[in-house]
Amino acid sequence: MKALEEKIIRDGHVAKGDILKVDSFLNHQIDVKFMNEIGKEFKRLYADKQIDKILTIEASGIGIACITAQYFDVPVVFAKKTKTKNIYGDVYTSKVESFTHGTTYDIILSKEFLKKGEKVLIIDDFLAKGNALIGLIDLVKNANAEIVGAGIVIEKAFQDGGKRVREDYGVNVESLARIKSMSYEKGIEFTN
Amino acid sequence: MKALEEKIIRDGHVAKGDILKVDSFLNHQIDVKFMNEIGKEFKRLYADKQIDKILTIEASGIGIACITAQYFDVPVVFAKKTKTKNIYGDVYTSKVESFTHGTTYDIILSKEFLKKGEKVLIIDDFLAKGNALIGLIDLVKNANAEIVGAGIVIEKAFQDGGKRVREDYGVNVESLARIKSMSYEKGIEFTN
């Protein structure tokens, strides 16, 4: 998505330690008008598919998922991160390893909100090592629901998450911007 | 908001321990179409006010804030909950006591995304004891920005948060449903 690549170059930057900062429009401040363009693009990419529900994970996926859900006319359900398993009663759980924080946490989803056979589109802001996305895929499988695919705003294509999810899990992933390389010194390069 | 009261009665319930469960449409699964009605109502209530930015707090406030922001045509910024203060560099911080979890946490907001003089509408899903809302008010004051008011989906009017924010802090609070009393045995009663 050309407009997204331009937005990342214009409003984002690579901080020291080669960290991509897009918190001016994606994951701290949210440019809601631009998220509408993101939502329309996900709809275009999955236009011919039946989608019953959009699944995401707290926190920064929620805004994108809600805006996107308007174009599919479906509800959103978000997995919650927790260290205290099963406090919510009857839930699906999965473990996610956090690269950023060096910890492992559980994600939970109430069984009430994901039923057998439901067709699910997973939406998230980032795909890097793929752990959060694989956790969500795991929840959908536990529910015997059907994963139609995933929609990711920014994929760090130089990490192996995309390959894991596409090849090992056989899930279709549409990423609106795929970063081939990035560094504080040289900036950002995209790939298709 | 009559439609919201009806929705709470129809899709919500009071669980044992007198806990209001509205996670079928508000804070786990999100009825995005209904959130559009919520967003329109906030716009109606603040139609004559200049709003530059909507402020909320992760996680369940984000979806409502993003949908609402479409009607104001402004960006959203969400405060993050953290136990590790200042890891994000140049941030405003405030402390929030969590009644639900029996803990105190810091909320942070990058100084970059809230500037002096900006006119802020605070949006959140719940108002009970008011600690989260007061934490957000504190962030806005630290930024020397201006609080136009708050928009709350559900206020537990039998708790003192609304009184604290309106009287002690002088902030206008518009709550779309105000619960006068609720219990597992007797259900939910609303007030104006």
Side-chain angles (χ1 to χ4, degrees), chain B residues 76-141:
Chain B
V76 165
V77 62
F78 63 90
K80 300 185 181 194
K81 297 173 182 173
T82 178
K83 281 172 183 165
T84 50
K85 204 169 164 177
N86 276 349
I87 51 166
Y88 293 92
D90 217 12
V91 295
Y92 301 114
T93 69
S94 183
K95 281 201 180 304
V96 175
E97 203 182 319
S98 170
F99 176 69
T100 321
H101 302 285
T103 54
T104 298
Y105 56 89
D106 288 310
I107 59 174
I108 61 170
L109 182 67
S110 173
K111 290 187 179 176
E112 212 179 328
F113 306 130
L114 196 56
K115 299 290 188 192
K116 186 178 172 181
E118 279 194 303
K119 293 174 195 302
V120 178
L121 174 63
I122 300 173
I123 294 285
D124 207 0
D125 52 351
F126 275 101
L127 171 59
K129 294 179 76 72
N131 292 337
L133 183 51
I134 289 166
L136 291 173
I137 291 168
D138 198 36
L139 293 179
V140 179
K141 290 189 170 174

Side-chain angles (χ1 to χ4, degrees), chain B residues 46-61:
Chain B
Y46 285 102
D48 60 339
K49 296 286 194 287
Q50 191 196 319
I51 307 285
D52 299 320
K53 196 164 278 185
I54 286 178
L55 173 66
T56 189
I57 183 167
E58 64 179 14
S60 49

